[in-house]
Amino acid sequence: MSTPLSVLDLSPVGTGRTSADALADSTTLARAADRLGYRRFWVAEHHAMPAVASTSPAVLLAHLAASTERIRVGSGGVMLPNHPALVVAEQFAMLEALHPGRVDLGIGRAPGADPVTAAALRRTVEGLGAEDFPAELLDVLSLLGQLPAGRAASATAARLSATPAPAGAPQVWLLGSSTFSAQLAGELGLPFSYAHHFGTGITTHAADVYRAAFRRSAVLDAPHLMVSASVIVAESDERAAWLAGPSRVMALRLRSRGALAPIETPEDAAAMLDALDPEQARDFYDRVPGTQVATTADRAVAALRELVTRTGADELVVTATTHAVEDRVATLEALAAAW
């Protein structure tokens, strides 16, 4: 693949299904991505959401790495405000020891949870603020032996190591959907993954900020940018739009601050969207970001290549929300064949 493709999976829980079903589906999808030649398979961290089964990336990644052969596995990402730096560093140092050369530690700044859940995870409200994030990130890098030159970690982190006898370290990425993370990733010389699928509308600007801020580091000589895109591929535009219905319902719930219920079937999603009055529906579709690529393989490839050209991305990571894993596997198969 000229520009490497990777996969981000949230382990979505469909209506009438369990978290165990969703995690089994993630395993199926990871094996497909491995077989098809995708470079990375990343999993997310979300809490207290009935629609998402991926709550503990390190645990899930241990299983996925053991269930695949060559694909890199990683977090997209670990939400650092939820965890002490030493816990994160030790978990991923152990994954790297178990699966050498195959582990990515993608780190995010958002909690991925409501404030009460985030405080319960951390057992304190200390460290949950955005202002604490850069220092905690430096602690993780220090614990993994990757502290950039001229930077200082906390006194505690400086005295410790994530593993007693390290043989290697995971590849650390910074994730973000803002220029804050882009700037920080550049200053620390880290690879940066931008969440274009969030639809913030500033993807190109964030890419420019990252490159302008980049400083050479022990891990990178030049900027390395990965951009995400939400993609569903089918044999026709109509079928792809129908399969994308559940993700539209999910987006509507997020924007109306409703409960993130399990993923609807395409049939139920179509009925829900049809029930919107025309003015409400038009307003919703106008506000939903245009990052959902739901079309045929050739048109999806054209859209992704345009995204690479516009952003200068070194890699792409694709994600999709569907009720059935078979539709996500079919998307990966069609993209791999056409890319």
Side-chain angles (χ1 to χ4, degrees), residues 15 32 63 71 74 77-78 83 86 104 112 121 162 179 227 258 279 289 293 320:
T15 52
H63 168 71
I71 196 167
V78 164
H83 314 284
L86 180 58
D104 299 328
L121 285 163
T179 55
V227 174
E279 185 174 342
V293 179

Side-chain angles (χ1 to χ4, degrees), residues 3-79:
T3 301
L5 290 180
S6 296
V7 180
L8 169 64
D9 187 51
L10 274 64
S11 299
V13 182
T15 52
R17 311 199 75 217
T18 66
S19 293
D21 294 328
L23 296 171
D25 287 347
S26 290
T27 306
T28 297
L29 194 66
R31 287 173 175 157
D34 191 29
R35 167 175 55 84
L36 293 165
Y38 285 80
R39 175 170 286 189
R40 311 175 195 275
F41 191 91
W42 283 9
V43 300
E45 176 187 345
H46 291 288
H47 301 277
M49 294 182 181
V52 179
S54 181
T55 57
S56 181
V59 175
L60 181 53
L61 291 175
H63 168 71
L64 295 178
S67 301
T68 53
E69 296 181 0
R70 48 146 296 277
I71 196 167
R72 295 186 66 92
V73 298
S75 55
V78 164
M79 301 295 103

Side-chain angles (χ1 to χ4, degrees), residues 94-325:
M94 180 176 286
L95 285 169
E96 175 66 23
L98 290 167
H99 305 282
R102 292 183 57 199
V103 177
D104 299 328
L105 169 54
I107 295 176
R109 182 166 64 102
D114 62 86
V116 173
T117 304
L121 285 163
R122 191 69 179 233
R123 297 199 300 177
T124 175
V125 295
E126 297 298 323
L128 292 176
E131 67 278 3
D132 299 306
F133 180 76
E136 296 201 336
L137 177 59
L138 289 174
D139 281 356
V140 172
L141 293 173
S142 176
L143 290 160
L144 292 172
Q146 300 182 35
L147 187 67
R151 297 283 182 164
S154 66
T156 299
R159 292 172 44 228
L160 300 173
S161 173
T163 49
Q171 186 177 94
V172 180
W173 288 69
L174 191 57
L175 280 56
S177 57
S178 69
T179 55
F180 175 93
S181 296
Q183 177 86 21
L184 183 59
E187 291 175 353
L188 297 180
L190 295 174
F192 179 54
S193 181
Y194 185 78
H196 176 69
H197 71 287
F198 283 2
T200 58
I202 62 166
T203 303
T204 303
H205 178 50
D208 291 341
V209 168
Y210 168 58
R211 293 191 182 96
F214 185 82
R215 300 293 180 267
R216 184 176 177 179
S217 69
V219 296
L220 276 186
D221 291 329
H224 192 89
L225 173 68
M226 182 159 65
V227 174
S228 68
S230 180
V231 182
I232 294 176
V233 173
E235 62 272 16
S236 68
D237 286 345
E238 293 75 18
R239 168 88 178 161
W242 186 72
L243 292 174
S247 68
R248 294 229 178 228
V249 170
M250 190 175 183
L252 179 60
R253 285 172 173 157
L254 282 171
R255 281 156 182 76
S256 62
R257 299 189 180 276
L260 210 55
I263 310 302
E264 306 293 341
T265 64
E267 294 85 354
D268 289 343
M272 291 178 182
L273 295 173
D274 287 344
L276 297 174
D277 69 73
E279 185 174 342
Q280 183 185 11
R282 187 165 50 251
D283 177 64
F284 167 63
Y285 286 119
D286 285 345
R287 288 185 295 109
V288 170
T291 57
Q292 176 79 62
V293 179
T295 185
T296 58
D298 56 343
R299 291 178 180 173
V301 166
L304 292 177
R305 291 204 184 282
E306 187 278 330
L307 180 60
V308 170
T309 300
R310 177 158 45 94
T311 62
D314 301 288
E315 300 185 37
L316 292 179
V317 56
V318 296
T319 186
T321 298
T322 63
H323 185 270
V325 70

